[in-house]
Amino acid sequence: MMQYTNRDQFILSAPGCMYTDPDSLESIMAGHENGANGCILPLDMTKDGIAVLCTHGGFRSADGVFHAVGEADYVELRRCFPKIVAVGQAVELAKSCAAKICVDLKNPHVCPQVKIALSHADYLDNAYFGGLNVADAAQTARKHPALHIMGDLPSQPADPIALVRAAQENGLFGLRGPAEYLSPALCQEALRCGLFLASTETTDGEKLERMFAQGVNFIETARPDLARVLQPQGADDNG
C-alpha cells in the first residue's frame, strides 16, 4: 500500500551523486547520507539477461577499453569489474535506507526482472520507472500494470493539458522531464488529475527551488545536500 500521495515531495540522488562512482552502491549510500529520500537506479541488461546498474551502456577498464554491457555475460563482466551491482543488491540497499526508487530504464526488457526484485523486497509501491517516452511508457504500463510507469518528456509540451489527460487515460503513474519542461500549467494539471511528477537530474539552485514551489514530487539531483537546504521547511518529513 502506498504510504505517500502526490502532494508529498522527495529528493532522489542521481547516479554518481556527491562525486561517487555512478554505478555503485556507494552512490546510493552517499545520497542517503546527504539528505536524499531516495535514489535513481540506472538499469541495463547483460547479454545473458541480468539487470545491473549501468549508466552509460557499459564499463571502461583501466586500460581504456569499453565493455558494452549487452555484449558480455554477467560473469564475464564481473571478472573485469568485480564491483558490478545486480538489481537485487541495489533494491535491498535502497530498502535498508527507506528510500524511494526511480528505475531509470536503459533497457525496457529489464522490467520483469526488476518487478521480481521489487516484489521480493515488498517494495513495488516505493518505486517508479522512467526513461521511456510517453508512447512507449503507455505500452509498458499496459504490459506491466503493477509497475508505476512515468512518461519522459522529450521536449516542451505544446499542449500540457492534453498531454496530462493522455497520460491519465493511458494509465501512467505520472510524467518526468527536465525542470524547464515542467511548466506551472503542466504541474498544476498533473497534480489535480492525481498524477505524479518527477524531474530529471539538476543541481541548479533556482530550478530546484522552482520545482519545490510547483509541487514536483520526485526531485532528482546529484547534490541532495543542496536540495535539502533549499527544501521548504516543514516539507522534509517525507521518508
Side-chain angles (χ1 to χ4, degrees):
M1 181 180 295
M2 288 177 60
Q3 302 296 319
Y4 56 96
T5 73
N6 77 339
R7 299 300 168 180
D8 293 321
Q9 293 184 295
F10 306 94
I11 298 166
L12 273 70
S13 60
C17 77
M18 309 306 298
Y19 314 104
T20 55
D21 178 349
D23 302 319
S24 68
L25 297 175
E26 288 78 12
S27 178
I28 298 171
M29 283 306 304
H32 176 66
E33 291 167 357
N34 284 275
N37 311 110
C39 58
I40 303 164
L41 305 183
L43 291 174
D44 211 328
M45 183 179 281
T46 64
K47 185 178 180 181
D48 55 340
I50 305 299
V52 297
L53 291 189
C54 184
T55 308
H56 301 299
F59 306 93
R60 194 170 298 279
S61 57
D63 58 4
V65 177
F66 183 78
H67 299 258
V69 69
E71 296 177 6
D73 291 345
Y74 177 75
V75 172
E76 294 174 47
L77 286 169
R78 187 159 190 175
R79 192 177 300 122
C80 297
F81 308 99
K83 288 191 174 183
I84 191 169
V85 180
V87 60
Q89 296 172 275
V91 168
E92 288 297 335
L93 179 57
K95 181 179 180 180
S96 74
C97 297
K100 299 293 182 286
I101 295 173
C102 168
V103 177
D104 189 9
L105 292 169
K106 304 302 181 181
N107 183 335
H109 297 297
V110 304
C111 281
Q113 194 174 154
V114 180
K115 179 183 176 182
I116 291 170
L118 291 169
S119 298
H120 181 73
D122 193 23
Y123 224 58
L124 272 173
D125 284 334
N126 288 292
Y128 66 93
F129 289 66
L132 302 174
N133 64 41
V134 174
D136 289 342
Q139 185 177 9
T140 302
R142 286 192 291 272
K143 285 184 183 178
H144 305 284
L147 303 182
H148 296 150
I149 307 293
M150 285 201 172
D152 278 27
L153 306 178
S155 60
Q156 182 79 49
D159 188 341
I161 305 301
L163 177 65
V164 168
R165 301 286 171 80
Q168 186 182 37
E169 290 169 5
N170 281 284
L172 294 185
F173 181 65
L175 296 167
R176 177 175 178 256
E180 55 268 28
Y181 297 167
L182 300 177
S183 66
L186 185 146
C187 291
Q188 183 177 9
E189 183 67 10
L191 295 174
R192 188 187 70 80
C193 290
L195 298 180
F196 286 77
L197 295 164
S199 73
T200 51
E201 195 279 325
T202 184
T203 57
D204 183 279
E206 289 186 8
K207 291 179 180 178
L208 290 169
E209 286 187 306
R210 187 166 71 249
M211 287 188 290
F212 279 125
Q214 291 178 181
V216 175
N217 306 106
F218 303 101
I219 296 173
E220 303 175 11
T221 180
R223 289 292 307 277
D225 57 333
L226 173 61
R228 176 60 76 183
V229 170
L230 296 173
Q231 189 171 22
Q233 285 192 342
D236 60 355
D237 295 327
N238 299 314

